[in-house]
Amino acid sequence: MGLLVWNRQRFVKVPATGKRQARLNPPEKRVIRQVEHLRIIDDDLWQKVKDRQGAIRKEITPAAVQDGGLRPERARRQTYLLSGLKKCRCCGASYTLINKTRYGRFAVRNVATAICTNRITIRHDAVEQRVLAGLRERLLHPAVLRTFVEEYRMALNAAQADTRAKRAKAELELAKVEKKIAGLVSAVEGGMYHPSMKEKR
């Protein structure tokens, strides 16, 4: 755009690490000068690019638009239910989003196909539906539910027993303390008090 900007940022040392980190200065502290002979693109193209970056940022990370602090190249794609969990059965490479709607084998697009020729893709909503249906069928099976109920009952009983044991121990310790207090009160009432008793607590 043919702009030279001075004092755009400052560096501060982080006490914990001893490393320097850049901090943006407020706009009013920056010095901006127009240098037309350094211009590469016109204002219209600049604005089109900025609009496109904003649209990408909004699509990839909606929160980035709200705080305005995340640059497009640092934005993260939206995560889905099974993000990072899908693998190719043939070679073990990750299945990732290759466009807005479909998962595909990442390595096919980046390494030689001699390693694995699997080029099958699948819609991400279809994968999620299959997985959720399988989980629902297996986790809600009567045998699994019976096992869960039994395990839960045993864990609950163990927790209640532990609570009862702790309460009994606390009540025993309280009774000992109350007995000591009663003994001290009786001693004072009986005239057995001596200044040296202050040293014992």
Side-chain angles (χ1 to χ4, degrees):
M1 290 187 69
L3 296 178
L4 283 179
V5 182
W6 287 273
N7 201 35
R8 181 174 180 274
Q9 63 185 14
R10 68 190 186 282
F11 290 91
V12 296
K13 184 179 260 189
V14 180
T17 62
K19 295 181 179 179
R20 294 195 322 155
Q21 284 193 350
R23 297 283 189 272
L24 286 177
N25 288 325
E28 60 271 13
K29 288 192 175 182
R30 301 175 196 171
V31 180
I32 302 174
R33 294 286 182 267
Q34 187 75 40
V35 187
E36 279 299 324
H37 69 278
L38 294 179
R39 179 185 286 274
I40 298 173
I41 61 173
D42 58 36
D43 291 337
D44 289 339
L45 180 56
W46 175 268
Q47 192 55 50
K48 286 179 182 178
V49 170
K50 287 300 169 186
D51 292 343
R52 178 65 179 142
Q53 286 177 336
I56 292 172
R57 185 187 291 117
K58 186 175 181 180
E59 179 182 342
I60 293 177
T61 312
V65 178
Q66 296 170 10
D67 62 28
L70 189 61
R71 296 169 62 180
E73 67 271 19
R74 295 180 183 173
R76 295 179 62 85
R77 288 194 177 276
Q78 180 180 352
T79 54
Y80 293 91
L81 178 64
L82 303 173
S83 292
L85 299 177
K86 300 163 299 301
K87 303 288 182 184
C88 173
R89 185 176 180 182
C90 302
C91 66
S94 294
Y95 255 68
T96 59
L97 278 175
I98 57 174
N99 57 39
K100 288 184 178 181
T101 61
R102 301 191 75 81
Y103 285 116
R105 187 173 156 273
F106 177 75
V108 167
R109 301 166 65 89
N110 294 280
V111 291
T113 55
I115 299 172
C116 178
T117 57
N118 178 13
R119 290 187 170 271
I120 296 174
T121 64
I122 186 169
R123 290 183 58 89
H124 73 81
D125 54 350
V127 174
E128 291 177 1
Q129 288 172 6
R130 289 184 189 183
V131 171
L132 291 175
L135 288 173
R136 191 180 301 112
E137 179 183 336
R138 294 183 183 212
L139 292 180
L140 297 181
H141 191 276
V144 175
L145 288 177
R146 281 195 299 271
T147 302
F148 170 78
V149 170
E150 181 60 23
E151 291 290 334
Y152 179 81
R153 186 187 63 77
M154 291 170 62
L156 183 62
N157 289 343
Q160 289 176 341
D162 185 51
T163 301
R164 286 194 295 268
K166 288 180 179 178
R167 181 180 179 85
K169 183 179 179 182
E171 288 175 346
L172 184 61
E173 291 177 355
L174 178 62
K176 289 180 181 178
V177 172
E178 289 177 341
K179 185 176 180 181
K180 287 181 180 179
I181 292 172
L184 288 172
V185 171
S186 298
V188 171
E189 288 176 345
M192 295 175 60
Y193 174 77
H194 189 274
S196 63
M197 293 175 68
K198 286 185 178 180
E199 299 176 3
K200 291 189 176 182
R201 297 185 179 205

